[in-house]
């Protein structure tokens, strides 16, 4: 296996890790409107991800940085062609981080309500737009012979891409609902379980349609296996939710995300960004990659840094592993 193939796999792993972790993160943000009934409950939801949300975004920074260094042509075409949606995602992530930190800086009700609204929208929009972006990458976009995107914003809002956005939005919300059930106690835990069953049923329907569409148009044997694993894991996750086994449900909803994203990358390879105008104009792991020397240096750096980051992040989750409820929220925060 060539180094550019290795880095395609590593970038896929980084995106899988990002969607697994930031997926429940976004889902919890959406639940601040769907599940929480009052301000203490909203605070409980926010506290479930408070110690980890910024660490989850490290995976996005790593994926973007790795793409820039390993596949500069892919990075240039992607970020120029998808400029507006990616800019909107970036703005949402910035505002979202500020909202988490500033929400409790002042006691006024309007102040806190406005930041809570910001958390909801800046969680919902990226969850949807990431699905739109990746669906377009898999489907293929208008790339000319110079590897430049020549389409418009309207071209990105096609039915397949919009369905992909709906899949990520519902799947991340389901993932977040299961996470809330795993991390909370009391009434909010019970309501999270009930809501997870409803959202999970919707997720199963749209995910099955999207994965089937992808398999018919782009799939092969390997992608079919990944699709079957994704659907099966989602169904079993729903069974685990009904049985009150939140740990198993969360693990299985995570498997669903891992298998679904893996399927998308399996349908891409050896392309990294297919051209819908001419297959010969597609960006591949070969014509979009950096020099072998650059990839070699990157490999050594990744081999040293990645285990350290993963150990530190795992330790963070272990430290903040206990369940919380409204009884743990200080009166001054109410």
């Amino acid at each position: 296996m060539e180094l550019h193939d290795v880095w395609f796999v590593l970038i896929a792993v980084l995106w899988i890790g990002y969607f697994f972790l930031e997926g429940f993160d976004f889902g919890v943000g959406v639940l601040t409107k769907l599940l929480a009934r009052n301000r203490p409950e909203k605070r409980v939801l926010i506290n479930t991800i408070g110690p980890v949300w910024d660490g989850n975004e490290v995976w996005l920074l790593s994926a973007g940085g790795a793409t820039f260094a390993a596949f500069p042509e892919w990075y240039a075409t992607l970020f120029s062609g998808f400029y507006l949606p990616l800019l909107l995602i970036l703005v949402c992530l910035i505002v979202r981080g500020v909202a988490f930190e500033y929400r409790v800086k002042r006691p006024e009700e309007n102040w806190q309500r406005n930041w809570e609204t910001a958390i909801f929208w800046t969680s919902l929009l990226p969850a949807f737009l990431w699905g739109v972006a990746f669906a377009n990458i898999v489907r293929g976009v208008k790339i000319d012979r110079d590897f430049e995107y020549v389409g418009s914003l309207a071209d990105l809002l096609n039915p397949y891409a919009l369905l992909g956005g709906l899949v990520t939005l519902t799947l991340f919300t389901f993932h977040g609902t299961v996470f809330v059930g795993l991390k909370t106690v009391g009434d909010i835990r019970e309501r999270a379980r009930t809501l997870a069953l409803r959202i999970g049923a919707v997720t199963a329907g749209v995910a099955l349609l999207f994965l089937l569409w992808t398999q018919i148009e782009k799939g092969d044997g390997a992608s079919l296996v990944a699709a079957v694993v994704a659907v099966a894991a989602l169904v079993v996750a729903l069974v685990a939710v009904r049985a009150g086994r939140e740990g198993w449900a969360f693990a299985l909803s995570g498997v669903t995300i891992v298998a679904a994203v893996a399927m998308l990358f399996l349908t891409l390879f050896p392309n990294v960004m297919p051209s819908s105008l001419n297959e010969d104009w597609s960006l591949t792991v070969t014509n979009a990659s950096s020099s072998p020397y650059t990839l070699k240096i990157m490999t050594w750096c990744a081999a040293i840094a990645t285990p350290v980051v993963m150990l530190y992040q795992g330790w963070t989750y272990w430290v903040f592993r206990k369940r919380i409820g409204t009884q743990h929220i200080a009166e001054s925060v109410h």
Side-chain angles (χ1 to χ4, degrees):
M1 181 180 288
E2 300 290 338
L3 279 179
H4 51 66
D5 298 330
V6 171
W7 273 98
F8 178 86
V9 174
L10 291 177
I11 289 172
V13 170
L14 289 172
W15 280 111
I16 288 171
Y18 174 67
F19 286 140
F20 180 94
L21 297 172
E22 194 83 314
F24 71 77
D25 197 324
F26 286 142
V28 172
V30 174
L31 292 176
T32 57
K33 291 287 187 183
L34 300 184
L35 182 63
R37 292 176 174 175
N38 49 47
R39 183 144 293 116
E41 289 191 355
K42 290 181 180 181
R43 187 61 184 174
V44 168
L45 294 181
I46 294 172
N47 281 2
T48 62
I49 59 173
V52 299
W53 68 266
D54 48 354
N56 295 343
E57 292 185 357
V58 170
W59 290 78
L60 173 61
L61 298 175
S62 299
T67 303
F68 172 78
F71 300 100
E73 287 283 358
W74 183 12
Y75 182 93
T77 303
L78 175 64
F79 278 79
S80 60
F82 292 26
Y83 180 81
L84 287 177
L86 291 179
L87 177 62
L88 181 56
I89 290 175
L90 178 60
V91 171
C92 284
L93 294 180
I94 293 172
V95 174
R96 188 168 181 262
V98 173
F100 282 134
E101 300 297 333
Y102 274 55
R103 177 188 171 275
V104 293
K105 296 299 183 183
R106 291 171 57 179
E108 291 88 346
E109 185 175 346
N110 285 341
W111 172 271
Q112 296 192 3
R113 184 187 300 114
N114 289 338
W115 285 120
E116 289 163 3
T117 301
I119 290 173
F120 170 76
W121 286 108
T122 55
S123 298
L124 185 148
L125 288 175
F128 177 76
L129 290 174
W130 279 127
V132 173
F134 270 84
N136 273 298
I137 294 174
V138 171
R139 175 176 177 267
V141 292
K142 294 181 178 179
I143 300 175
D144 64 12
R145 65 173 67 249
D146 297 320
F147 303 137
E148 294 183 1
Y149 178 73
V150 293
S152 64
L153 179 61
D155 292 324
L156 302 178
L157 302 177
N158 56 81
Y160 177 77
L162 294 176
L163 179 61
L166 186 60
V167 169
T168 52
L169 175 58
T170 56
L171 182 55
F172 291 170
T173 305
F174 172 70
H175 196 40
T177 310
V178 175
F179 179 77
V180 169
L182 179 65
K183 288 287 293 180
T184 59
V185 294
D187 180 59
I188 193 170
R189 176 188 178 189
E190 298 301 321
R191 285 188 281 115
R193 183 187 304 172
T194 302
L195 184 60
L197 291 173
R198 296 173 182 173
I199 296 176
V202 175
T203 303
V206 294
L208 179 60
L209 178 58
F210 178 76
L211 295 177
L212 183 60
W213 191 343
T214 304
Q215 180 63 30
I216 291 173
E217 290 200 352
K218 303 284 184 177
D220 56 15
S223 63
L224 178 60
V225 172
V228 171
V229 170
V231 173
L234 182 56
V235 171
V236 180
L238 286 170
V239 174
V241 170
R242 184 176 293 276
R245 303 297 296 273
E246 289 98 344
W248 280 104
F250 180 71
L252 289 164
S253 66
V255 171
T256 301
I257 293 175
V258 170
V261 179
M263 179 196 182
L264 297 183
F265 278 94
L266 286 169
T267 60
L268 266 180
F269 189 81
N271 295 323
V272 294
M273 205 163 180
S275 172
S276 60
L277 300 178
N278 189 323
E279 289 186 2
D280 295 335
W281 299 345
S282 297
L283 289 167
T284 68
V285 292
T286 303
N287 63 26
S289 68
S290 295
S291 67
Y293 181 74
T294 300
L295 296 178
K296 184 176 181 180
I297 296 298
M298 289 177 60
T299 303
W300 279 108
C301 292
I304 296 172
T306 302
V308 176
V309 173
M310 294 185 69
L311 285 172
Y312 173 79
Q313 194 165 19
W315 177 79
T316 302
Y317 278 93
W318 174 256
V319 169
F320 295 99
R321 66 189 181 277
K322 292 184 178 180
R323 295 176 182 268
I324 61 174
T326 53
Q327 66 269 29
H328 300 113
I329 303 300
E331 289 293 330
S332 59
V333 177
H334 288 189

